[in-house]
Amino acid sequence: MKVLMFGWEFPPNISGGLGTACSGLTKGLYSLEDIEVTFVVPKVFGGEDASKVRLIGASDVPVTKLQIRIETSGKAIECIEVSSQLVPYVDPEDYYRQINYTVEHTRSLIETDIQRKLKFTGKYGPDLLSEIERYALVAIIIAQENQFDVIHAHDWLAYPAGIAAKQASGKPLVIHVHATDFDRSGGSVNPDVYAIEKRGMDAADKIITVSNLTKKIVIEKYGIDPAKVVTVYNAVEPYRHEKKGHSTKGFDEKVVTFLGRITHQKGPEYFIEAAKLILQKMDNVRFVMAGSGDMMNRMIRRVAQLKIADKFHFTGFLKGDDVYQLLHISDVYIMPSVSEPFGISPLEAMQAGVPVIISRQSGVAEILSNAIKIDFWDIEAMADAIYGIIKYPSISKNLSYNGRKESYNLKWVDSAQSVKKVYKSAISSQSKFLD
Amino acid sequence: MKSICLYFTVHQPIRLRKIRFFDIGNTDYCYDDHQNESILQKVTQNCYLPANKLLIQLINKHQGRFKVALSISGTAIDQFKIYAPQVIDSFKELAATGCVEFVAETYSHSLAAIKDTAEFKKQVKLNADAIESLFGERPTVFANTELIYSDEIGELVAEMGYRAILTEDPHHILKWRSPNYLYSNAINPSLAVLLNNDMLSNDIAYRFSDKNWDGWPLTAPKYVSWLNKFPEKEKIVNLFMNYETFGERQKSENGIFDFLNTLPSAVLRKSEFKFHTPSEVVANHQPISKLDVPKPFTCANGGKDLSTWLQNELQQEAFENLYELSESIEHCHDEQLLKDWQYLQTSDHFCYMCTKHHFNNVVHASCSPYDSPYEAFLNYMNVLNDFTIRLNRILNPKINLNKKEKAVV
């Protein structure tokens, strides 16, 4: 079975959980024998590991092709790159701001051929919506030039490309909802984004959601037929131990860690309020907020206001090894998300043996047993759980041991099996319709 | 003479309310009244009242030929008194028939037997006192929490004057031997040991409504045909189970009351078995041999040890912390604190912390008021810390915090 997949980022150049999920799922699919994936990315790459990525046939096609070799299976992922500046986790206003300073950095790989072939997309401008449209037009060409059985599009920026490919080829479309604008915006949904999401869901033959929480949003907020929606939970790639950091703490206090974008969706303010409650009761603890985002300055001010800045630390955005270093010295990991469609990062913490506290408003809470679950707004419960883990060695030990075991049982190949079933049902439901 | 002995245990824990760590030292009440009341009312309507009514009818109908044994934990009695006094009345009515033997247990359905001998004795006495004052007769037979038994526990119980103890079938010790005989304690042979026929008990308690079980649907005649298959020499069948089996665990709509209703006549008409209370079993049969059980065991939840209550580090830390207070408690005369001390020892609190449930114990997990064993542990520890502070305040008004609290604050 050949799959044409539209994503928007691919490791190592990722800005969040979506890239991690796409990569994990693609590798999982590749380990299944009868699946072949062609992965299309809109985002310009830079700095890929040369041993794993090979450029092929870039001169005679309007787009760049990459091959990414998967170490475990020996097979290769064909990766088609569309030069574009689409970045995830933005709305049109944000995009304008970001593009204004990233434009020079990302322009290097833009192919002029594409512009000649696709006359109506004028120039690259700070207009996200026309970018998406352009991505969709490229998708038509790709769909015409490639053989495949099913189309798979990840999240809203890729939906129009998926729809276009479906129209050009007549093949069934599966869309994968990793998040909706309701999660990102905290309620004030951008109407343009909503319209694109809704169009994608309507056009899809099958919809994959990353949790039942997201499934519910898709059904209720987008008015989608429940029969079309299937939940496939994410998994986590095994953590490679050779890179494990050996840095030690320069202090005796316990470390409580928040790791994620500092945005409304992630609930950073609740973490700070809980930290204040704990620091009123105990002294041997420090709090770390690792990440960046539009709420960061407000959060720093709040920490100062509460007079806990001596015990509360901001690290900024962390990548790769720094993340593992931080997990290595953490005693508690907390994800107080207001709305988290899934949430892979607690699984990474669990792999590192860190006890985790997650909000009930997260998809990952639906599958985890060995984590403490709280409501994101319940700062007392949050503080209580942190206090307990710090104070009682038995619970910390238990969560660490059982959590690690549980996280290693969540494998991408199992998610890939479920996705394959969705492909099959999309193909058979479409052929039934044609008969 | 062949004996069939029915024993039902009645127990409800007193569930704890949510106590946050900043409440520690600032509360004086740690129970979730609302939850306790609503669960007790529910089980009263589903089980206690209809089951008692049926037992009374059956006893009257068979004119002394149908008998049962019952134990009621102190935590259940205390809650009946507050939330459902009509249940106490109906147990009194049962007692008045003369066909019910009340068996003693630990007041708070605790695990004290394996940790604190003095406390264990105190609790057994408390429960026997309560039973005697309510139902007019002092128990002479004992059944430990979840039927936990060892040679030492048996010896203790014999020392307290009990004639017999009820426990599970120790498969790992009996091996090929049958539980359908009377045994005696290894240390003090004057104590008779009655073993549960767990196969037949679980057919009722666990499998009754299971449509995938090849015994389904279970009827009284079918059940009696199984009883009749035992070799002639095996004279005793003990069926021990939770009273909540009737109407709560096995639902009325699945026919559990119909089964109970038809069982006595089927047994009396179609078999040689007679219904006997544990005391009558002891009076009518001779022990066949001593039973060697060096380590405490129970078969509840499919295990042969105490792992449901005391396996993981959470349970052990909580349990150790609790019994560290034993010494201080001896100097405490505050009535409320002594009550709290009882209620905190209830085994259910430790069962809620069991991580085995996560994977295979649906029955117990569904009884837990907590989302996870971790939450159960955290809340229990907060309650226990709060209790410790209150206890220390009373014992030594000058010290407001115990040593442990000081270390972290």
Side-chain angles (χ1 to χ4, degrees):
Chain A
M1 192 188 299
K2 288 188 169 175
V3 184
L4 180 63
M5 195 178 275
F6 293 95
W8 63 18
E9 53 176 10
F10 209 85
N13 286 11
I14 58 166
S15 52
L18 182 79
T20 311
C22 285
S23 160
L25 179 65
T26 311
K27 288 181 188 172
L29 285 167
Y30 259 84
S31 65
L32 305 181
E33 281 189 354
D34 45 353
I35 296 265
E36 274 180 54
V37 180
T38 300
F39 201 95
V40 186
V41 280
K43 194 173 186 308
V44 177
F45 281 74
E48 279 83 7
D49 186 346
S51 67
K52 289 183 207 153
V53 183
R54 193 155 57 92
L55 287 162
I56 55 155
S59 55
D60 54 343
V61 284
V63 287
T64 310
K65 280 190 184 176
L66 301 171
Q67 271 200 347
I68 298 175
R69 222 173 270 288
I70 304 297
E71 292 155 292
T72 47
S73 67
K75 287 204 282 181
I77 297 174
E78 190 175 45
C79 202
I80 300 177
E81 175 197 294
V82 183
S83 300
S84 161
Q85 296 161 358
L86 293 188
V87 279
Y89 309 118
V90 291
D91 57 29
E93 296 95 81
D94 252 355
Y95 181 75
Y96 178 76
R97 256 184 284 130
Q98 290 202 16
I99 224 68
N100 276 342
Y101 59 78
T102 57
V103 74
E104 272 186 62
H105 170 70
T106 50
R107 269 207 165 194
S108 54
L109 273 175
I110 290 169
E111 295 277 345
T112 47
D113 301 56
I114 300 169
Q115 288 195 48
R116 265 209 321 278
K117 283 201 174 181
L118 305 168
K119 283 169 193 147
F120 40 100
T121 56
K123 56 185 184 295
Y124 293 90
D127 178 357
L128 181 62
L129 297 175
S130 60
E131 263 323 299
I132 292 168
E133 213 174 295
R134 192 180 148 275
Y135 184 26
L137 289 164
V138 177
I140 294 175
I141 298 169
I142 295 168
Q144 286 164 346
E145 291 180 356
N146 288 275
Q147 288 293 318
F148 53 91
D149 305 298
V150 63
I151 305 154
H152 188 159
H154 294 278
D155 262 13
W156 73 283
L157 290 179
Y159 295 164
I163 299 171
K166 179 181 176 173
Q167 284 166 349
S169 65
K171 299 292 182 188
L173 170 65
V174 173
I175 69 156
H176 203 135
V177 185
H178 297 266
T180 66
D181 210 43
F182 287 91
D183 305 304
R184 289 182 294 260
S185 66
S188 53
V189 176
N190 180 306
D192 293 327
V193 177
Y194 178 85
I196 290 172
E197 288 179 329
K198 167 89 170 133
R199 224 184 312 133
M201 293 176 194
D202 286 338
D205 297 274
K206 285 280 170 188
I207 297 172
I208 295 171
T209 52
V210 291
S211 63
N212 290 331
L213 191 81
T214 305
K215 182 175 177 175
K216 195 162 171 260
I217 293 175
V218 166
I219 293 166
E220 287 175 5
K221 308 266 187 188
Y222 295 83
I224 301 300
D225 174 10
K228 216 163 93 169
V229 193
V230 182
T231 294
V232 176
Y233 292 108
N234 287 333
V236 62
E237 288 192 63
Y239 165 47
R240 276 166 299 156
H241 286 279
E242 79 264 19
K243 282 194 173 177
K244 198 169 178 177
H246 289 289
S247 73
T248 41
K249 282 190 292 191
F251 48 86
D252 293 333
E253 290 101 326
K254 301 281 183 177
V255 176
V256 184
T257 299
F258 168 106
L259 212 157
R261 282 173 295 115
I262 306 178
T263 59
H264 169 84
Q265 187 193 345
K266 302 290 179 184
E269 66 268 46
Y270 303 100
F271 176 57
I272 293 173
E273 301 302 323
K276 173 68 181 171
L277 287 178
I278 290 173
L279 288 168
Q280 285 169 349
K281 267 272 185 183
M282 65 200 315
D283 193 38
N284 66 329
V285 56
R286 290 181 185 272
F287 297 86
V288 177
M289 184 169 275
S292 59
D294 59 9
M295 276 174 74
M296 184 152 164
N297 293 342
R298 241 173 76 199
M299 292 302 101
I300 294 171
R301 273 205 305 278
R302 183 65 185 150
V303 164
Q305 244 172 35
L306 293 172
K307 300 194 192 318
I308 54 172
D310 58 327
K311 291 280 193 179
F312 200 108
H313 312 277
F314 291 87
T315 67
F317 181 75
L318 296 185
K319 235 177 162 178
D321 285 354
D322 290 342
V323 171
Y324 291 117
Q325 297 275 12
L326 177 58
L327 289 178
H328 185 63
I329 61 160
S330 296
D331 299 282
V332 182
Y333 175 95
I334 183 154
M335 183 183 75
S337 294
V338 173
S339 178
E340 188 70 63
F342 187 79
I344 292 181
S345 64
L347 300 181
E348 293 170 341
M350 285 163 81
Q351 284 191 337
V354 185
V356 304
I357 301 169
I358 53 178
S359 75
R360 289 204 178 89
Q361 290 68 33
S362 67
V364 74
E366 292 169 20
I367 52 167
L368 285 184
S369 301
N370 295 292
I372 295 182
K373 299 166 198 175
I374 45 105
D375 291 308
F376 72 86
W377 42 261
D378 194 348
I379 53 169
E380 295 200 350
M382 201 184 296
D384 202 46
I386 295 170
Y387 172 86
I389 295 173
I390 289 174
K391 191 171 171 199
Y392 307 116
S394 65
I395 189 167
S396 155
K397 210 172 135 191
N398 238 271
L399 280 168
S400 169
Y401 178 79
N402 290 331
R404 188 193 297 245
K405 214 162 80 177
E406 188 176 15
S407 65
Y408 275 106
N409 277 331
L410 300 170
K411 298 192 175 77
W412 276 114
V413 63
D414 297 329
S415 308
Q417 288 283 10
S418 308
V419 167
K420 186 179 154 188
K421 276 187 202 145
V422 176
Y423 292 158
K424 282 191 170 159
S425 79
I427 291 167
S428 73
S429 70
Q430 202 201 32
S431 58
K432 235 182 265 165
F433 180 72
L434 292 175
D435 292 344
Chain B
M1 186 188 296
K2 287 194 165 189
S3 302
I4 180 166
C5 174
L6 294 177
Y7 158 72
F8 306 133
T9 168
V10 178
H11 168 61
Q12 286 296 327
I14 300 189
R15 295 159 199 86
L16 305 170
R17 77 178 173 92
K18 227 168 212 140
I19 300 239
R20 300 297 186 202
F21 78 90
F22 12 77
D23 301 330
I24 293 173
N26 300 324
T27 70
D28 49 15
Y29 195 74
C30 55
Y31 310 110
D32 189 338
D33 289 348
H34 175 74
Q35 193 185 27
N36 286 323
E37 178 171 6
S38 65
I39 291 175
L40 196 86
Q41 297 291 11
K42 183 184 72 140
V43 184
T44 292
Q45 294 311 319
N46 290 343
C47 165
Y48 302 134
L49 287 180
N52 282 3
K53 193 175 154 199
L54 179 58
L55 289 184
I56 291 167
Q57 281 171 3
L58 289 168
I59 288 167
N60 290 338
K61 181 177 161 193
H62 295 285
Q63 299 172 343
R65 293 195 299 151
F66 176 67
K67 292 168 182 177
V68 296
L70 284 171
S71 70
I72 312 177
S73 70
T75 53
I77 292 173
D78 288 352
Q79 294 187 85
F80 288 137
K81 282 182 179 165
I82 304 170
Y83 305 124
Q86 71 276 27
V87 175
I88 299 270
D89 292 340
S90 98
F91 278 123
K92 282 182 177 166
E93 218 179 306
L94 268 171
T97 64
C99 291
V100 176
E101 175 171 14
F102 283 92
V103 169
E105 72 143 310
T106 55
Y107 190 84
S108 54
H109 204 73
S110 75
L111 305 169
I114 58 166
K115 185 72 186 174
D116 186 333
T117 308
E119 177 62 28
F120 172 68
K121 286 184 171 176
K122 216 187 289 171
Q123 288 188 15
V124 176
K125 184 177 179 302
L126 264 180
N127 190 251
D129 289 347
I131 295 287
E132 187 179 8
S133 79
L134 284 173
F135 309 116
E137 210 164 312
R138 193 150 189 97
T140 58
V141 173
F142 178 76
N144 201 9
T145 304
E146 306 293 331
L147 303 177
I148 294 168
Y149 179 76
S150 70
D151 296 339
E152 277 86 39
I153 294 172
E155 189 196 13
L156 268 178
V157 170
E159 229 173 71
M160 281 185 272
Y162 288 90
R163 281 193 287 173
I165 188 165
L166 313 185
T167 185
E168 293 282 356
D169 172 356
H171 294 273
H172 58 298
I173 287 162
L174 276 191
K175 297 198 171 95
W176 53 270
R177 288 180 290 169
S178 160
N180 301 336
Y181 292 97
L182 193 61
Y183 291 85
S184 63
N185 178 258
I187 303 168
N188 186 340
S190 72
L191 182 84
V193 182
L194 281 72
L195 305 181
N196 182 22
N197 188 310
D198 53 19
M199 187 74 174
L200 282 175
S201 299
N202 292 346
D203 286 341
I204 301 173
Y206 293 98
R207 291 184 278 271
F208 184 81
S209 311
D210 180 1
K211 292 184 180 169
N212 297 320
W213 171 45
D214 53 17
W216 189 89
L218 183 58
T219 60
K222 190 190 279 183
Y223 199 75
V224 171
S225 76
W226 294 342
L227 288 177
N228 286 332
K229 277 185 191 157
F230 287 118
E232 190 50 38
K233 282 182 185 169
E234 299 186 6
K235 305 276 191 199
I236 307 165
V237 172
N238 295 313
L239 302 173
F240 303 159
M241 62 196 84
N242 292 330
Y243 199 35
E244 294 79 15
T245 298
F246 302 97
E248 181 63 26
R249 191 168 287 174
Q250 304 298 343
K251 300 294 174 200
S252 164
E253 57 266 32
N254 293 330
I256 190 71
F257 288 119
D258 299 332
F259 174 79
L260 183 60
N261 189 22
T262 48
L263 185 67
S265 8
V267 168
L268 293 170
R269 281 188 206 143
K270 299 278 160 85
S271 80
E272 296 169 44
F273 283 95
K274 290 196 158 74
F275 286 96
H276 284 141
T277 64
S279 288
E280 289 172 333
V281 170
V282 174
N284 284 307
H285 300 272
Q286 284 299 315
I288 186 168
S289 78
K290 281 186 191 175
L291 186 70
D292 287 303
V293 184
K295 272 196 218 156
F297 90 101
T298 173
C299 287
N301 307 307
K304 55 182 180 194
D305 51 24
L306 307 181
S307 61
T308 301
W309 297 272
L310 290 176
Q311 186 189 44
N312 66 35
E313 294 92 341
L314 306 179
Q315 295 167 316
Q316 283 165 10
E317 179 162 11
F319 195 66
E320 292 301 321
N321 271 279
L322 173 68
Y323 283 102
E324 265 172 27
L325 301 175
S326 293
E327 255 188 71
S328 313
I329 288 291
E330 280 176 35
H331 308 290
C332 172
H333 304 288
D334 181 275
E335 218 173 284
Q336 183 56 47
L337 281 170
L338 289 174
K339 218 125 246 165
D340 291 344
W341 167 244
Q342 284 297 314
Y343 294 167
L344 285 174
Q345 291 181 67
T346 301
S347 59
D348 302 61
H349 301 310
F350 301 95
C351 185
Y352 302 150
M353 299 174 201
C354 178
T355 38
K356 289 199 303 180
H357 304 162
H358 266 50
F359 311 104
N360 56 22
N361 197 323
V362 186
V363 173
H364 268 259
S366 64
C367 300
S368 173
Y370 300 98
D371 280 355
S372 77
Y374 304 106
E375 280 163 60
F377 170 80
L378 288 177
N379 199 50
Y380 185 82
M381 291 308 281
N382 286 348
V383 171
L384 189 61
N385 271 311
D386 180 64
F387 174 75
T388 309
I389 290 171
R390 284 189 283 133
L391 179 65
N392 287 340
R393 262 187 215 142
I394 292 239
L395 296 181
N396 192 346
K398 283 178 195 162
I399 301 173
N400 280 327
L401 298 170
N402 74 350
K403 274 182 257 161
K404 287 204 162 168
E405 276 299 308
K406 263 187 188 166
V408 292
V409 173

